[in-house]
Amino acid sequence: MRLFLALSEELHFGRAAARLFMTQSALSRQIQDLERRLGVPLFARDSRTVRLTDAGSALTVEARATVEAMGLLRVRAGQWARTLTGHVVVGTIGAEAAMPYTSAILERLGVLHPGITVEVRSLNFSEHLAQLLSGDIDVAFLRPPVPPDIELLELAVEPRVACLAAGDPLADRSGIRLADLSDRVFVDVPPEVPRVWWDFWAVDPRPDGTRVRYGPVVSDMEGLLLSVARGEGMCFLPAAARDFFPRPGVRYVDVVDLSPSVSALGWPAQRRLRPGVQAMREAAAAVMAAPGREGATSS
């Protein structure tokens, strides 16, 4: 079904095969096998063109529903498998995997629950909240804001800085204000990313009510930094980016009137009592309550 849908969208065996990371001959054999099993031709093809037959067009809706249902089944099965085997999947974004609180919480998890195994996944801008809500991951080290059905335990607070191209006239200043950046284009993210999240990072609208002008769309940190280095747009990042993401052509500048960034552990509210989630919450709470750390509140 997945191969059928890809070909129905591309209508070209070469492009569809490349998209699916398989050879064109293997894709052709799979489609022929599917047609034999269904008993109807799905595509009309000749040496130059590929098009859906009437039957193929009619079956795309059911095929898409089947693929989505199988994806949901896989997610639900994975959730139960993790519950039964004591396995927890932890998502991270940006440099969260390298932060000291992340290491401390995972270490405390091992002490409190030595039988639990951990898988850590580094996720891009589109994936980290979507996979948390879908159940592909159990918890995530992330940066709020988040949709209302995700609960948070605050871990740390730090300033945000402007990420500018090295050639920007403001790049060598020791400090700037938001108003200095009013004419700058801001990088954007794909539509799958909750807008409330990127509006916070873009400070959109600005304190004077003006809206941000957006430029190139990026999906992850490397794409974002490349876009900034090329002078295509700017962004705001946690101050830790200075240490974790130094890049040629990129400069980080303090913004004196920019609100700080919060680091948090997040989990879906409806799955807060799942064993893996509960174990991570317990480990995080223990780390945050340790001497020398300020208490954090769950929201």
Side-chain angles (χ1 to χ4, degrees):
M1 291 298 101
R2 186 171 58 86
L3 307 188
F4 163 60
L5 287 173
L7 184 57
S8 72
E9 292 167 1
E10 298 290 346
L11 293 179
H12 188 282
F13 274 92
R15 289 195 299 269
R19 171 175 159 184
L20 294 162
F21 299 99
M22 63 190 305
T23 65
Q24 187 170 331
S25 59
L27 174 61
S28 179
R29 288 195 299 272
Q30 292 281 355
I31 294 298
Q32 291 172 6
D33 183 56
L34 178 62
E35 289 175 321
R36 283 194 298 271
R37 291 165 64 187
L38 294 178
V40 292
L42 302 173
F43 296 95
R45 54 266 211 192
D46 54 35
S47 59
R48 290 189 173 186
T49 63
V50 178
R51 63 178 178 82
L52 282 163
T53 63
D54 291 343
S57 296
L59 291 175
T60 54
V61 174
E62 285 80 4
R64 186 163 288 107
T66 299
V67 170
E68 291 173 354
M70 287 302 299
L72 181 60
L73 179 63
R74 179 185 58 80
V75 168
R76 295 292 180 261
Q79 292 172 0
W80 281 108
R82 295 199 295 273
T83 297
L84 295 172
T85 60
H87 185 68
V88 61
V89 181
V90 179
T92 68
I93 185 171
E96 292 302 296
M99 292 297 181
Y101 45 76
T102 302
S103 298
I105 291 170
L106 294 178
E107 183 177 349
R108 183 61 64 91
L109 177 69
V111 172
L112 295 174
H113 303 279
I116 288 182
T117 57
V118 178
E119 175 186 347
V120 179
R121 296 181 187 173
S122 179
L123 304 173
N124 65 32
F125 301 148
S126 300
E127 295 168 334
H128 76 294
L129 293 174
Q131 290 199 18
L132 190 59
L133 290 170
S134 72
D136 272 346
I137 59 176
D138 297 302
V139 298
F141 290 96
L142 46 72
R143 301 276 175 151
V146 296
D149 40 1
I150 293 176
E151 296 180 339
L152 300 173
L153 177 68
E154 185 177 306
L155 303 174
V157 179
E158 67 175 307
R160 287 187 286 169
V161 296
C163 180
L164 301 171
D168 191 293
L170 300 176
D172 293 325
R173 292 197 189 179
S174 59
I176 57 178
R177 304 186 70 85
L178 276 170
D180 298 325
L181 301 165
S182 60
D183 62 343
R184 299 300 194 275
V185 172
F186 208 89
V187 294
D188 206 357
V189 291
E192 297 81 16
V193 178
R195 203 65 214 178
V196 65
W197 188 71
W198 200 240
D199 283 348
F200 168 80
W201 285 101
V203 193
D204 188 13
R206 296 291 163 84
D208 62 1
T210 58
R211 305 297 305 203
V212 171
R213 290 190 303 122
Y214 290 100
V217 174
V218 299
S219 298
D220 55 28
M221 281 297 301
E222 292 303 327
L224 181 149
L225 293 168
L226 176 61
S227 184
V228 171
R230 289 168 55 86
E232 298 171 341
M234 63 151 295
C235 65
F236 298 122
L237 291 174
R242 282 192 169 105
D243 297 321
F244 290 105
F245 300 111
R247 294 292 186 276
V250 172
R251 299 290 184 272
Y252 297 102
V253 182
D254 293 332
V255 184
V256 298
D257 55 347
L258 184 59
S259 62
S261 164
V262 174
S263 303
L265 180 70
W267 59 86
Q270 72 271 25
R271 290 194 288 275
R272 68 190 324 268
L273 298 181
R274 288 282 178 91
V277 175
Q278 199 162 1
M280 281 293 296
R281 291 170 49 219
E282 181 183 348
V287 167
M288 298 311 295
R293 289 184 177 270
E294 295 184 3
T297 57
S298 179
S299 62

